[in-house]
Amino acid sequence: MEICDELRSFEATGIYRLNVTGTSSGASFLDPVRLLNGSYQRFRIIPSAYYSRSFEPPRQVGEPDTEQPEKRRKRKRNQKLKPRELNAMERIAEARHQEARPLLLSAHESLIKDKYLLEHFSKMMEGKDHKLDVGSGSENNFVELGTSWRAPFYEITICFRKPHVLGNGEGSFNAQKTSFPLFNSIISVEAIDEAEGDFQNRYYILPRGSCFLMSDFKCVRDLIPGSSNQGYNLIVVDPPWENGCVRQKEAYHTLPNRYLLYLPVQELAHPAGALLVLWITNREKLRIFVEKELLPSWGVKDPTVFYWLKVKHDGSLIGDLDLFHHRPYECLLLGYINVNTDAKQGSNFKLLEGTQVIMSVPGAHSRKPPLEKLLSEYIPGPKPPRCIELFARELFPGWTSWGNEPLHFQDSMYFSEK
């Protein structure tokens, strides 16, 4: 394939496949904005709103924001900090990192060498979009609203566009507004294109065919399909893992890890098979819990590891690869439910084969790149697949999304009309 064809495919799909030398593993570069915009008809996500983060070198412990550079330099001259000895768990985590390091470096090198891709992506990022004040605090805080005594009384008004055929045969659209309980109620967007939701003077863009349930754990079992053949073929779980750094930033509320054992994942899975994707952090204690307890309780065996390597617009890593508590990558564990992985014949999908590296420029804190298109060939069961995300913070066309803030990134300030 010629380079121009590869870039043309990237521009159309948002996925660019890279060749990683010296390894059988695969690597891909994703443009989440292009992937997401491919599913919207009347609106588009504003790149400057999605890529709203700036990446500064992480400060070491003991270096507060207010410390003057002169004092910092003087303190460093007068003190020699002894490297802290790693404990047993940290040594295991470091060994795991060293095992992944060659693959991550090879994948990143393949990206850096692809000058045409980086130049093309930089040009795609150039534009006249207004830099929005995303995260200014003006958005609705659904987590707090959902715990309020008023929560059962909150309603969202959704405007659907319905097709209407006139007497002369010409078509038009009728706007139909309907109000729904915002919390603890399953809401489906059955319209010909995006619907618009109105809640407390904020507007939300709702993709066609999306479905969401905004609730806490008490209502999660409402997601279990009434019929087994309505189960899900792709299940993405992105929990708010317990994490001291997140608590300090107060970016989102965390959840005790053992609560996840009560998620009805097996009951959500389609009997013809489901691919499970679990986002996890790099903490070794958490990794052991996931591999020894959580995944077996969900019926997942022998998971495959993917890595999400975070880069800047110029292709460089967002941080030092070897910085222990600030790795510039996250892990995904993927595995099958209700699938005999030993039977390779007669399948309508490819079984997962080996580790892969996904690279992209990250968006807002904890926002993950969309994965359905990248993983489509590995999803078992009927086509198109039925997909669900647990602990969702945004909606996708045709997906079911559950969490305490699935409308977070659907705020109209992230969008403009096409």
Side-chain angles (χ1 to χ4, degrees), residues 278-294:
L278 176 65
W279 289 93
I280 64 172
T281 70
N282 293 314
R283 292 177 60 224
E284 188 60 27
K285 183 178 180 180
L286 171 62
R287 183 71 170 264
I288 292 174
F289 164 70
V290 167
E291 293 182 340
K292 299 295 185 183
E293 294 188 61
L294 187 60

Side-chain angles (χ1 to χ4, degrees), residues 120-320:
H120 187 70
F121 183 67
S122 296
K123 290 179 180 177
M124 288 167 58
M125 290 301 301
E126 294 174 0
K128 299 180 180 179
D129 288 324
H130 175 62
K131 187 71 174 181
L132 300 179
D133 188 18
V134 174
S136 63
S138 59
E139 311 100 294
N140 281 313
N141 187 328
F142 292 111
V143 178
E144 291 185 0
L145 291 170
T147 58
S148 167
W149 66 269
R150 297 185 181 90
F153 306 104
Y154 287 130
E155 290 189 339
I156 183 171
T157 300
I158 300 179
C159 180
F160 301 93
R161 291 210 314 168
K162 301 286 187 178
H164 175 67
V165 179
L166 301 176
N168 57 7
E170 296 181 359
S172 64
F173 299 98
N174 284 338
Q176 176 182 327
K177 291 186 177 182
T178 308
S179 294
F180 301 88
L182 180 59
F183 294 100
N184 306 329
S185 174
I186 296 177
I187 299 176
S188 298
V189 181
E190 299 175 358
I192 59 170
D193 55 19
E194 296 85 56
E196 298 174 65
D198 178 6
F199 175 68
Q200 292 192 346
N201 297 319
R202 303 288 298 189
Y203 293 92
Y204 299 89
I205 308 304
L206 311 179
R208 177 183 60 174
S210 61
C211 175
F212 67 93
L213 170 61
M214 185 141 51
S215 77
D216 58 15
F217 254 86
K218 292 194 295 289
C219 296
V220 67
R221 297 189 65 84
D222 292 349
L223 297 167
I224 299 173
S227 171
S228 61
N229 61 6
Q230 295 177 339
Y232 296 97
N233 311 105
L234 175 61
I235 303 174
V236 177
V237 188
D238 184 17
W241 297 108
E242 290 179 303
N243 186 309
C245 178
V246 170
R247 282 198 296 270
Q248 292 167 13
K249 292 181 178 179
E250 296 182 352
Y252 58 82
H253 294 265
T254 59
L255 184 76
N257 298 336
R258 303 197 68 82
Y259 279 33
L260 301 175
L261 293 168
Y262 301 100
L263 283 176
V265 171
Q266 281 191 301
E267 295 167 272
L268 293 171
H270 198 286
L275 174 63
L276 175 90
V277 179
L278 176 65
W279 289 93
I280 64 172
T281 70
N282 293 314
R283 292 177 60 224
E284 188 60 27
K285 183 178 180 180
L286 171 62
R287 183 71 170 264
I288 292 174
F289 164 70
V290 167
E291 293 182 340
K292 299 295 185 183
E293 294 188 61
L294 187 60
L295 291 184
S297 75
W298 291 348
V300 178
K301 298 179 180 178
D302 303 321
T304 300
V305 181
F306 279 31
Y307 295 97
W308 176 33
L309 189 59
K310 306 171 192 179
V311 298
K312 301 178 184 178
H313 295 116
D314 61 359
S316 62
L317 298 178
I318 66 168
D320 184 349

Side-chain angles (χ1 to χ4, degrees), residues 324-348:
F324 189 85
H325 290 293
H326 297 278
R327 307 284 195 209
Y329 64 86
E330 294 185 38
C331 296
L332 307 80
L333 294 182
L334 295 84
Y336 289 108
I337 303 173
N338 301 332
V339 170
N340 181 5
T341 54
D342 296 326
K344 296 185 178 180
Q345 294 184 346
S347 298
N348 64 342

